[in-house]
Amino acid sequence: MKKILILLLMLILGIVSYAKADDVLGTWLIKENGMIVEIYKNKTGEYTGKIIENNFIFLEQNNDLTYDKKTNNLAYFTLKFPKDKFSWHIWINIEKDGNLFIKGTGNTEVGKYVTELHLIRQK
């Protein structure tokens, strides 16, 4: 009986502590460039992100957004920084430490580029 109770508690804790799509919401520091961004849901319920300093919308949800619980991936978004000449097609991975890892590609006339960003939650 004791073993069953312990197993049940471990199962419940595992379900409660598992990441959810809304774990991307909040204020983040982009490790690579020091920008502070906020990811939130807009009036239509879509995920959006803005750079805090100038309200530049840098992250927009694509219509076909999906969340994979196994890999903690939330995909797909369009990401653009103020000085970039093109947009990135990216996905967001919610890491075990609660931080975000963004990876994606950007297509230009010259070729295809890959970007990786690490977002650290701000308290």
Side-chain angles (χ1 to χ4, degrees):
M1 182 70 172
K2 214 176 201 183
K3 289 180 184 179
I4 293 173
L5 183 60
I6 291 172
L7 183 61
L8 183 61
L9 284 173
M10 288 174 56
L11 180 63
I12 290 171
L13 285 175
I15 291 170
V16 170
S17 66
Y18 199 78
K20 299 172 204 64
D22 281 352
D23 288 350
V24 301
L25 302 175
T27 305
W28 304 89
L29 170 71
I30 301 176
K31 184 178 174 182
E32 286 75 8
N33 60 23
M35 291 183 177
I36 297 176
V37 298
E38 178 185 7
I39 300 175
Y40 59 96
K41 283 192 176 178
N42 63 20
K43 293 176 185 175
T44 62
E46 292 184 336
Y47 292 87
T48 305
K50 68 179 178 181
I51 297 172
I52 298 286
E53 290 85 29
N54 59 11
N55 279 338
F56 181 84
I57 300 294
F58 85 105
L59 181 74
E60 292 183 302
Q61 173 181 326
N62 289 352
N63 292 333
D64 58 347
L65 186 72
T66 61
Y67 175 67
D68 184 348
K69 285 185 179 182
K70 260 186 202 175
T71 59
N72 284 329
N73 286 337
L74 190 60
Y76 289 97
F77 294 90
T78 302
L79 181 132
K80 182 165 177 48
F81 287 103
K83 296 178 183 173
D84 284 352
K85 295 181 180 177
F86 56 91
S87 299
W88 304 92
H89 188 66
I90 57 108
W91 52 263
I92 299 174
N93 186 44
I94 304 166
E95 298 186 331
K96 290 180 182 180
D97 62 4
N99 293 324
L100 303 180
F101 174 68
I102 292 177
K103 186 169 184 174
T105 59
N107 294 318
T108 68
E109 297 169 359
V110 181
K112 192 176 208 176
Y113 295 90
V114 175
T115 189
E116 292 183 353
L117 299 170
H118 297 87
L119 278 64
I120 302 166
R121 184 174 295 280
Q122 296 296 286
K123 296 179 181 181

